[in-house]
């Protein structure tokens, strides 16, 4: 393991917990004595790795990478992954519908069957499948959606192979982080947002030790949260700087956010997802997801998507958002151009453009109320807009913090109060 990765994951307590818990179900054996970084023997060669040794391991940083000291019987293989994907597609109406739309495509089995997983990657995938079932199901859905997008856009087999492997590995870094941070519906603090960026970096670094994954696969993994307009992370890449596998994987990850990860692999809100993709057409390459929208464009949005909020709440929050956007335009007129100003304006300009292009006039609350009352689809559409814009504002705060600009901007007499209004808006948001 590289020194930079060791610095990020520290003592690896979460990964050690996952592996030792896995050892209660499958045979994991210590292949050589395990020592702490201080030279203290922690586990002897030949000892079974399970929860009984966790307490001793977790107290120390190790002299060598944990994976270098252990071996597992019956680790996951690429054949297992292919079989699990086939079972998921068979049980899912949504994925089966995609499958029926790809009668001429080269199969996932044909693409991946000759690939052999490196031992430590196989160990991590085995731990994910056993200890983080939702994460494993998520990865399988991402693989299949990436396969659909890449195949329907007629990518070369080499590009599809790179994309599918990147999809399978893209969230391996989460094994090294606190699972509770990534539970569905959890609202992250500004300090916790840094882990969103860290998991991408860890996943990439886990792969760069293997020549077969260097460049193509690891790059796509590193890019799966990048956006075409430069608003993504961890590098803020834009446009053609993002590889084709990276662009496809980014779309597949966004699409999977609307799928159920409990094992069904079902998209309950296909029309809602199509709306979300349309909303992000300047961040994600629409050429890759046009087949999806064509396939699902006749489906009605699910009214359950709006059960947790009212139209009046939406309108109230749109009023607050409108104040934030207008105040920024006022600040923009008063302050000279700088890197900081341009960086913030990239986010705010994107939100303004989306609102204008959507035709949703958030200046006029009576108009919004009448439109949403007459057409429930528009209510859901506006909800998606507000949800996305709220997330973009939260991401702006996170990016300022990550780039060590947040404290400086808060001290600015004009930008500081404006940033505080965004924090208040984010904290009060019920969407």
């Amino acid at each position: 393991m590289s020194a930079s990765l060791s610095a990020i994951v520290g003592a690896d307590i979460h990964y050690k917990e996952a592996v030792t818990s896995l050892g209660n179900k499958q045979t994991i054996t210590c292949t050589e004595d395990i020592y702490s970084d201080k030279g203290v023997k922690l586990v002897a060669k030949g000892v079974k790795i399970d929860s009984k040794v966790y307490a001793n391991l977790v107290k120390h940083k190790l002299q060598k990478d944990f994976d270098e000291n252990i071996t597992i019987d019956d680790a996951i293989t690429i054949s297992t992954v292919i079989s699990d994907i086939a079972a998921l597609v068979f049980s899912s109406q949504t994925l089966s519908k995609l499958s029926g739309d790809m009668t001429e495509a080269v199969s996932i089995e044909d693409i991946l069957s000759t690939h052999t997983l490196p031992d430590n990657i196989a160990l991590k995938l085995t731990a994910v499948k056993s200890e983080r079932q939702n994460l494993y199901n998520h990865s399988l859905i991402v693989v299949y959606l990436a396969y659909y997008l890449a195949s329907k856009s007629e990518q070369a087999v080499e590009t599809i192979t790179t994309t599918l492997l990147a999809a399978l590995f893209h969230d391996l870094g989460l094994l090294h982080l606190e699972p509770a941070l990534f539970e569905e519906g959890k609202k992250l603090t500004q300090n916790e947002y840094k882990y969103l960026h860290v998991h991408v970096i860890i996943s990439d670094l886990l792969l760069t030790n293997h020549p077969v994954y260097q460049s193509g696969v690891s790059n796509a993994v590193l890019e799966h949260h990048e956006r075409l307009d430069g608003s993504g992370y961890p590098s803020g890449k834009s446009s053609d700087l993002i590889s084709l596998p990276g662009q496809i994987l980014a779309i597949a990850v966004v699409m999977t956010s609307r799928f159920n990860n409990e094992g069904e692999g079902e998209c309950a809100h296909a029309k809602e997802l199509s709306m979300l993709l349309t909303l992000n057409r300047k961040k994600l390459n629409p050429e890759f997801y046009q087949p999806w929208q064509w396939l699902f464009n006749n489906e009605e949005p699910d009214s359950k998507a709006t059960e947790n909020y009212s139209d009046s709440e939406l309108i109230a929050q749109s009023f607050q958002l409108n104040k934030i956007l207008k105040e920024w335009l006022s600040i923009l007129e008063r302050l000279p151009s700088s890197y900081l100003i341009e960086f913030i304006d990239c986010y705010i300009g994107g939100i303004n453009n989306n609102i204008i292009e959507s035709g949703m006039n958030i200046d006029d609350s009576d108009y919004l109320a009448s439109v949403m009352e007459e057409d429930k689809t528009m209510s859901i559409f506006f909800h998606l807009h507000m949800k996305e814009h709220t997330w973009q504002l939260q991401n702006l705060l996170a990016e300022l913090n990550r780039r060590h600009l947040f404290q400086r901007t808060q001290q600015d007499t004009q930008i500081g109060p404006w940033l505080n209004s965004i924090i208040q808006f984010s904290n009060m948001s019920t969407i």
Side-chain angles (χ1 to χ4, degrees):
M1 182 182 291
S2 68
S4 57
L5 180 55
S6 297
I8 292 172
V9 301
D12 261 348
I13 60 173
H14 304 298
Y15 181 55
K16 290 173 183 174
E17 181 177 18
V19 172
T20 53
S21 178
L22 173 63
N24 296 333
K25 309 166 189 174
Q26 292 181 232
T27 302
I28 303 177
T29 308
C30 186
T31 55
E32 57 182 282
D33 294 341
I34 298 179
Y35 290 90
S36 75
D37 61 346
K38 305 297 184 183
V40 178
K41 184 193 284 191
L42 303 176
V43 183
K45 179 180 178 180
V47 170
K48 302 300 182 184
I49 299 296
D50 55 25
S51 293
K52 295 176 183 177
V53 301
Y54 171 72
N56 199 27
L57 287 171
V58 78
K59 296 175 184 176
H60 307 274
K61 290 185 179 181
L62 304 184
Q63 204 171 72
K64 295 174 65 176
D65 179 9
F66 189 31
D67 292 349
E68 294 180 28
N69 297 290
I70 60 178
T71 185
I72 180 174
D73 292 349
D74 300 322
I76 198 171
T77 65
I78 205 70
S79 295
T80 307
V81 172
I82 293 170
S83 177
D84 289 342
I85 291 173
L88 185 65
V89 173
F90 180 78
S91 66
S92 165
Q93 292 183 6
T94 309
L95 298 183
S96 293
K97 189 171 183 177
L98 298 183
S99 178
D101 192 42
M102 292 192 297
T103 54
E104 299 179 2
V106 179
S107 71
I108 289 180
E109 183 174 5
D110 288 339
I111 293 170
L112 294 181
S113 60
T114 59
H115 185 77
T116 301
L117 296 170
D119 289 344
N120 72 320
I121 299 298
L123 171 63
K124 291 179 189 299
L125 280 175
T126 307
V128 170
K129 182 176 180 178
S130 173
E131 307 306 309
R132 303 282 295 279
Q133 185 67 49
N134 283 356
L135 179 57
Y136 183 69
N137 290 336
H138 165 86
S139 296
L140 296 188
I141 296 170
V142 173
V143 170
Y144 198 78
L145 293 179
Y147 165 66
Y148 176 78
L149 298 171
S151 298
K152 293 298 287 185
S153 59
E154 300 181 342
Q155 299 300 314
V157 172
E158 182 180 354
T159 300
I160 299 176
T161 304
T162 297
T163 305
L164 299 193
L165 289 172
L168 182 61
F169 305 143
H170 77 285
D171 271 349
L172 282 182
L174 292 181
L175 271 176
H176 296 265
L177 300 172
E178 169 60 57
L181 289 172
F182 299 90
E183 290 178 353
E184 186 177 355
K186 176 175 172 57
K187 202 166 187 176
L188 297 177
T189 66
Q190 285 301 306
N191 186 53
E192 289 171 337
Y193 257 103
K194 65 184 179 184
Y195 293 106
L196 289 175
H197 305 88
V198 168
H199 93 271
V200 176
I201 296 168
I202 297 174
S203 297
D204 168 59
L205 290 172
L206 292 173
L207 298 174
T208 52
N209 291 327
H210 302 284
V212 68
Y213 301 141
Q214 288 173 4
S215 186
V217 175
S218 64
N219 280 350
V221 166
L222 196 60
E223 294 169 340
H224 76 268
H225 283 296
E226 298 288 2
R227 297 293 181 260
L228 298 183
D229 63 355
S231 64
Y233 64 85
S235 301
K237 287 184 177 181
S238 60
S239 193
D240 56 354
L241 294 178
I242 307 173
S243 68
L244 287 178
Q247 291 184 39
I248 294 169
L249 181 54
I251 298 168
V253 170
V254 169
M255 292 175 72
T256 304
S257 70
R258 291 300 186 272
F259 276 69
N260 180 301
N261 293 333
E262 299 297 328
E264 296 91 345
E266 209 67 75
C267 180
H269 312 297
K271 188 67 174 181
E272 178 183 339
L273 175 53
S274 291
M275 290 178 177
L276 179 64
L277 292 172
T278 298
L279 184 61
N280 282 280
R281 63 194 177 280
K282 292 187 177 180
K283 298 178 182 296
L284 305 167
N285 191 335
E287 292 182 13
F288 292 126
Y289 55 77
Q290 284 174 345
W292 164 277
Q293 293 187 301
W294 174 82
L295 198 60
F296 290 93
N297 63 0
N298 291 323
E299 296 197 3
E300 290 298 321
D302 192 333
S303 61
K304 290 182 180 179
T306 64
E307 284 181 351
N308 295 326
Y309 66 90
S310 66
D311 288 350
S312 60
E313 288 175 317
L314 272 178
I315 293 171
Q317 288 186 225
S318 72
F319 178 75
Q320 295 300 320
L321 175 63
N322 194 38
K323 286 179 62 177
I324 289 170
L325 299 179
K326 285 188 172 181
E327 179 58 27
W328 174 251
L329 292 177
S330 176
I331 292 172
L332 204 58
E333 291 177 353
R334 298 194 299 267
L335 295 180
S337 179
S338 66
Y339 167 76
L340 176 61
I341 293 295
E342 292 176 3
F343 178 77
I344 295 175
D345 196 49
C346 175
Y347 278 83
I348 304 305
I351 294 174
N352 269 317
N353 287 338
N354 264 332
I355 290 173
I356 292 170
E357 291 173 5
S358 72
M360 301 299 287
N361 183 5
I362 63 175
D363 274 325
D364 190 340
S365 58
D366 291 337
Y367 160 78
L368 290 177
S370 64
V371 167
M372 288 189 285
E373 183 177 356
E374 292 174 6
D375 187 350
K376 193 60 179 176
T377 300
M378 293 305 295
S379 180
I380 297 172
F381 183 61
F382 187 46
H383 166 252
L384 286 173
H385 267 268
M386 290 300 298
K387 188 174 183 178
E388 179 67 17
H389 300 332
T390 300
W391 185 88
Q392 284 295 331
L393 289 175
Q394 291 170 340
N395 196 48
L396 169 61
L397 297 175
E399 279 295 302
L400 287 172
N401 190 48
R402 187 175 73 87
R403 295 168 189 243
H404 307 293
L405 296 170
F406 188 76
Q407 187 172 2
R408 192 179 105 194
T409 51
Q410 276 206 308
Q411 293 172 348
D412 186 284
T413 56
Q414 297 190 69
I415 301 179
W418 178 76
L419 278 181
N420 288 333
S421 70
I422 294 180
I423 294 172
Q424 185 178 18
F425 173 78
S426 298
N427 291 336
M428 292 177 62
S429 176
T430 58
I431 296 176

